[in-house]
Amino acid sequence: MRIILVLVACITTFVSSGFQSKTETPAKVDICIYGGTAAGVIAAYTAKKMGKSVMLIEPGTHLGGMTSGGLGQTDIGNKYAISGLSLDFYRRIGKHYGKFEQWIFEPHVAKKYLQQYLDEAGIKVTYNSRIVSASKKGSNIQSISLENSVKPEASTNMTIEASMFIDCSYEGDLMARAGVSYAVGREANADYNETINGVQLMDGHQFPNGIDPYKIPGKPESGLLWGISNEKLLPNGTGDRKAQAYNYRICLTSDPANQIPITQPDAYDASRYELLVRLMNKQPERKTLNDYFIWSRMPNSKTDINNRNGFSTDMIGMNYEYPDGDYATRARVIKDHEVYTKGLLYFVGHDPRVPQELRNEMLKWGYPKDEYTDSGNWSPQLYIREARRMVGNYVMTQANCEGKEVVKDGVGMAAYTMDSHNIQRLVVNGMVKNEGNVEVGGFGPYPISYQAIVPKEKECGNLLVPVCLSATHIAYGSIRMEPVFMVLAQSAATAAAMAIDAKVNVQKLNVTKLRDRLVSKPLVDATIQHVIADNEDKDKVTVSGTWKTVKRGGYGPSLLSSEAAASGLRSVRFNPVVSKSGKYDAYIYFPKLQGLSSSISVVVSDGKVKKDVTLKAADIEVVGQTSGEWVLLGTYDIQKGQKPFVEISNKDADGLVFADAVLMVPNFK
C-alpha cells in the first residue's frame, strides 16, 4: 500500500534532514520510526507525546503514504475497529469538511492534517533517506545506516542510534535489514489450514469467457498479448512468491478551472491495451467509465479511481520483483506502473477503438492543478498493497478473520473483507483469465495480536512492525487498511515507550498494561475522546420489548433490530457514563439498512431534562464504505454523577428501527 521510492521515515525533534559524514557522531534518539506513511506519522506523534525523543525517516519526499497519496475512499470495514489517533484523524478531516467524521477526502487535505500532528509535536521529518544496513548487538538493533535517496554516496551516509525502532514502511525494509523472518507472496492453504490462500481462480474482476489471448486471434504461434503470462494455472491453494497487483489510486477532477489535460505519456504503447479493446468489444452494452473503473467521487469534483473488472488500473503480474528488489529495481517498477496508468487514461480518452461515449466521458476529466504540486500533479505513492510480511511468534490467519480463533492480547482491530487483488493473467482453456482475486467477508471486527507486530525475540528485541505485520497473505488482505495501520502504529509506539521505561525487550512487555493504556488514553494524553454506549455493552443498555440481534450492517459486532411482526411499544435505552462535567455533543449511530422506518423517535436526557428528537431517514446521507453515519442529537450540559440516556423506540415507526450505539463527545477543552 504505498510509495514512490522506498519510503523511509525517522522523525526527530532535533535531527535535520541533512546528511552527516562518516566521522560525525551518530544521531541518537529514543525511538526511530522508518517510513513516513500515515502510520509513521501516528507512531512518531505518539512517541513524542509520551516524552520520548523521536526521529521519523522517509525515503522519498512524500508524507502520508496512501492516505495522502490518492486513497481517499477509505477502506473502513466497520467504524468500531477504528480507535484512538486513527479515529481522531478522520474526525479532523471531518471538521475540515464541516462534518463530525469524514472518510472520503482529497489528497492534499489528508496531508495537511497528517502534517498537523507533526507540527503539534514539534517533529521534523528526515526526507530522502533510505536504509542501507542495520547493526545489531546480540538480537537488538544498535543503529541503522541511511543513504541519500537522490544521490547515494557512502561519504554522506548517516547513522541513527536508538533504543527502539519501528518499521512503518510498506516494504518492511528496516525489518528485513534487521534479519527478521518474513514471507513474500502467498502461502499454500495447507500451511496454516486455510481455504482461500494460494492460487485462486474466482469470478471477481474477471474476463468473461471467450476472449482470445493471442496477438492474432486463434493463432497461438503469433504470441500472447501484452500482460498475459505463459505460465500454467497451478492447482487451487498452491503457494507461490507472487505479489497481488499494485496500482495508483487516481485523483482526477471534472472542474475545468482546476484541470490539466490528460496527455500521451512518454513511452506510451497502445498495444498494451489491446485486451481492453477486446473486452469492450465483448460487452458493447458497457459504455461508461464506471464499467471499467471504480470511479469514486471525492469532495470538490475530484476522484479516487480504483481497479474494476478484467482490465483496469491494476498492472497484474508486473510487480513480482518489487518486494525484495533493490532501490533501482523498485524505481523501475514504479515508473512502469506510472506509464501504464497514464497511458490507460489517455487511451480511453483518445483511441478510436474505444466507444465514443467512453471517450467523451473521459475527456471531461483532467489532472487537478491543486494536487501533488511538487510531483507533476501525479501521486508520488504507488499502492503497494502487499510486499513483505513478518513471520513472528504469532501469525494472523483466516481463522482470526472469521472469528474461529480469537486472540486475547489484541492491540487493534480489523474488520475489512479478506481481499486480494488479482496476481496473474493466464491462458485457461484457450481464454484469457485473471487469477488471484479473493473477496470474502461476512465477519465482524476481530482483534489483532500484539505478538503479530513484534518479531521473535531471538531475531530482534527492540523492533515493532505495525505495517508489514505477521499475517498470512489472505489475513493480511483484511488487515492491510490505512486506518488499521494507524491504530497499530499507535499501539507500537506506546509499546516502544513503555518498553524503554520498563527496560525490557518488546516481547517481554506487560501487554495487559499496554492495552489498559491504549483504552484509558486513546489520544495519548488525558483528553477524553468520547464516551460510548454500544448495544453489546449490556451494563449500559436497557432493552424493553422484543428486539432481534443482527450481526451485519452496524457499528461493532452487532445491532438490535425491532421485529417487524411484533406489536406494542419497544425501546432500547443507552446509558453512557460521563466521568467529567461539561457540554457534550450527543450522537446516535444510524444504519441505513433495508426495511428502515422513514422516521425514528429518540428521547435524549441530560440526567434532568428529556428532549424528544425525530430523525428522518431521508435527511441522512451515508458517505463512503460504510452502512451508517453518526447523527447529531444536540448538545447537552451533563454533570458528573448524573444519569444521561438516549432512548430509541418504534413509536410511530413505519418500518424497522435499529438500535446500535450512542456517543457523547466532549464539547469543551
Side-chain angles (χ1 to χ4, degrees):
M1 276 190 179
R2 109 180 164 117
I3 160 175
I4 166 172
L5 289 172
V6 131
L7 226 178
V8 183
C10 267
I11 296 178
T12 182
T13 52
F14 50 81
V15 176
S16 72
S17 60
F19 277 76
Q20 63 192 22
S21 72
K22 289 176 124 182
T23 59
E24 290 184 26
T25 303
K28 294 183 179 181
V29 292
D30 293 324
I31 301 175
C32 175
I33 299 105
Y34 188 79
T37 58
V41 169
I42 295 301
Y45 176 89
T46 300
K48 183 65 186 304
K49 287 294 185 179
M50 291 185 70
K52 305 306 177 188
S53 57
V54 181
M55 187 172 192
L56 178 58
I57 303 164
E58 166 51 41
T61 59
H62 173 64
L63 182 72
M66 283 307 303
T67 296
S68 58
L71 206 168
Q73 180 81 352
T74 307
D75 300 309
I76 306 169
N78 190 310
K79 293 178 183 177
Y80 180 87
I82 314 306
S83 59
L85 292 172
S86 179
L87 180 57
D88 180 68
F89 169 75
Y90 294 100
R91 289 184 178 170
R92 292 188 188 203
I93 295 288
K95 187 175 182 180
H96 176 90
Y97 288 110
K99 296 184 178 181
F100 175 48
E101 295 173 355
Q102 181 86 342
W103 303 85
I104 66 169
F105 44 79
E106 301 157 88
H108 78 273
V109 173
K111 186 174 181 179
K112 172 183 176 180
Y113 288 98
L114 290 170
Q115 183 63 52
Q116 187 180 78
Y117 284 104
L118 302 182
D119 293 343
E120 289 175 3
I123 295 168
K124 293 181 187 266
V125 182
T126 301
Y127 287 105
N128 280 327
S129 305
R130 62 194 187 193
I131 189 167
V132 176
S133 62
S135 297
K136 297 171 72 175
K137 182 177 181 181
S139 66
N140 284 15
I141 304 169
Q142 294 297 295
S143 66
I144 61 173
S145 178
L146 307 173
E147 68 179 9
N148 187 304
S149 303
V150 178
K151 191 177 180 181
E153 294 179 1
S155 62
T156 61
N157 284 4
M158 178 166 55
T159 300
I160 310 299
E161 295 180 353
S163 299
M164 291 284 163
F165 293 84
I166 305 174
D167 190 340
C168 288
S169 69
Y170 294 127
E171 295 82 7
D173 284 339
L174 171 55
M175 171 190 73
R177 297 298 197 283
V180 171
S181 299
Y182 64 85
V184 172
R186 301 179 281 188
E187 297 86 357
N189 271 333
D191 290 351
Y192 290 93
N193 194 30
E194 297 175 307
T195 62
I196 52 175
N197 207 337
V199 170
Q200 298 289 329
L201 184 64
M202 295 189 179
D203 296 330
H205 300 288
Q206 188 57 274
F207 284 94
N209 289 337
I211 294 184
D212 194 290
Y214 302 110
K215 292 179 181 178
I216 301 175
K219 293 186 178 294
E221 63 273 19
S222 66
L224 294 167
L225 290 175
W226 181 89
I228 303 175
S229 170
N230 60 7
E231 292 192 29
K232 302 299 181 184
L233 178 66
L234 296 176
N236 183 75
T238 303
D240 58 28
R241 284 182 56 83
K242 297 180 172 72
Q244 63 175 302
Y246 301 164
N247 72 344
Y248 281 96
R249 297 294 287 261
I250 308 165
C251 183
L252 300 180
T253 180
S254 60
D255 179 4
N258 193 32
Q259 275 185 8
I260 297 171
I262 296 172
T263 56
Q264 179 176 305
D266 294 339
Y268 174 73
D269 183 355
S271 68
R272 285 184 164 191
Y273 313 106
E274 176 63 30
L275 263 179
L276 179 58
V277 173
R278 294 187 186 184
L279 178 60
M280 290 175 173
N281 291 339
K282 187 71 175 179
Q283 47 190 33
E285 74 283 359
R286 296 191 175 188
K287 299 179 179 179
T288 70
L289 291 175
N290 267 308
D291 289 321
Y292 297 95
F293 306 88
I294 297 177
W295 204 274
S296 301
R297 299 300 181 98
M298 296 296 107
N300 296 315
S301 305
K302 293 176 185 170
T303 65
D304 169 2
I305 300 169
N306 198 6
N307 182 82
R308 169 164 278 161
N309 294 332
F311 193 103
S312 187
T313 61
D314 278 359
M315 199 176 181
I316 298 170
M318 303 299 175
N319 61 342
Y320 301 158
E321 296 178 281
Y322 189 90
D324 270 331
D326 60 23
Y327 295 127
T329 298
R330 288 183 182 169
R332 173 174 50 78
V333 171
I334 290 165
K335 187 62 178 179
D336 287 347
H337 279 72
E338 178 182 341
V339 171
Y340 166 79
T341 310
K342 289 181 174 179
L344 175 64
L345 298 175
Y346 177 80
F347 181 88
V348 173
H350 295 85
D351 196 283
R353 294 171 293 173
V354 174
Q356 188 67 54
E357 297 95 324
L358 263 174
R359 280 184 277 153
N360 291 343
E361 192 177 2
M362 178 60 83
L363 292 175
K364 295 177 182 177
W365 295 86
Y367 302 121
K369 294 178 182 178
D370 62 345
E371 297 291 352
Y372 314 124
T373 55
D374 54 355
S375 59
N377 307 99
W378 181 257
S379 176
Q381 179 65 68
L382 179 63
Y383 195 171
I384 309 302
R385 289 189 169 91
E386 186 175 9
R388 300 179 176 109
R389 302 184 309 279
M390 181 171 66
V391 180
N393 282 323
Y394 190 87
V395 179
M396 299 290 292
T397 70
Q398 181 179 337
N400 296 111
C401 301
E402 294 175 336
K404 296 175 182 177
E405 184 174 326
V406 181
V407 302
K408 303 300 184 184
D409 63 341
V411 290
M413 302 192 82
Y416 201 76
T417 295
M418 288 181 285
D419 176 78
S420 171
H421 281 237
N422 277 304
I423 293 171
Q424 301 180 89
R425 184 170 285 152
L426 308 166
V427 179
V428 180
N429 298 325
M431 301 175 288
V432 60
K433 290 291 177 181
N434 293 333
E435 181 278 312
N437 187 85
V438 179
E439 297 170 80
V440 177
F443 44 82
Y446 59 90
I448 301 166
S449 172
Y450 175 71
Q451 292 299 319
I453 67 169
V454 298
K456 298 170 184 176
E457 189 170 18
K458 65 181 180 181
E459 294 182 347
C460 194
N462 64 338
L463 172 68
L464 296 107
V465 186
V467 176
C468 295
L469 70 153
S470 181
T472 65
H473 159 71
I474 202 60
Y476 192 79
S478 171
I479 297 169
R480 61 170 183 85
M481 306 304 153
E482 291 288 291
V484 176
F485 285 157
M486 286 190 268
V487 170
L488 294 176
Q490 180 176 355
S491 299
T494 304
M498 291 176 66
I500 290 173
D501 292 342
K503 296 181 173 58
V504 297
N505 284 345
V506 294
Q507 293 83 0
K508 294 291 195 299
L509 185 68
N510 186 320
V511 181
T512 299
K513 290 183 178 180
L514 170 62
R515 285 159 49 87
D516 289 345
R517 165 93 191 204
L518 293 170
V519 171
S520 64
K521 295 186 176 182
L523 299 179
V524 188
D525 58 18
T527 303
I528 299 172
Q529 186 169 34
H530 58 236
V531 178
I532 190 166
D534 184 81
N535 68 285
E536 295 270 335
D537 303 327
K538 303 308 180 186
D539 59 334
K540 298 179 183 177
V541 177
T542 305
V543 179
S544 175
T546 304
W547 293 79
K548 177 183 178 182
T549 300
V550 178
K551 293 293 188 181
R552 296 188 66 183
Y555 176 86
S558 69
L559 56 84
L560 299 177
S561 171
S562 63
E563 295 280 5
S567 60
L569 184 67
R570 283 152 283 151
S571 64
V572 175
R573 178 176 288 191
F574 295 92
N575 305 292
V577 179
V578 171
S579 61
K580 185 176 181 179
S581 300
K583 291 187 180 297
Y584 288 82
D585 294 331
Y587 291 87
I588 191 166
Y589 197 75
F590 196 98
K592 293 193 77 170
L593 304 178
Q594 188 173 4
L596 176 67
S597 175
S598 62
S599 65
I600 308 292
S601 295
V602 180
V603 177
V604 185
S605 172
D606 61 5
K608 294 185 294 184
V609 179
K610 297 179 183 179
K611 177 183 176 182
D612 292 322
V613 179
T614 300
L615 303 177
K616 299 292 185 181
D619 296 337
I620 298 167
E621 180 185 9
V622 177
V623 179
Q625 296 191 49
T626 179
S627 60
E629 292 286 345
W630 290 109
V631 178
L632 181 65
L633 300 174
T635 302
Y636 301 86
D637 192 350
I638 302 174
Q639 300 301 305
K640 180 180 178 180
Q642 291 179 346
K643 296 182 178 180
F645 68 81
V646 176
E647 185 174 276
I648 187 169
S649 73
N650 67 334
K651 178 183 176 182
D652 300 326
D654 56 7
L656 297 176
V657 175
F658 301 111
D660 200 349
V662 164
L663 277 183
M664 294 292 182
V665 181
N667 197 343
F668 57 85
K669 293 184 178 181

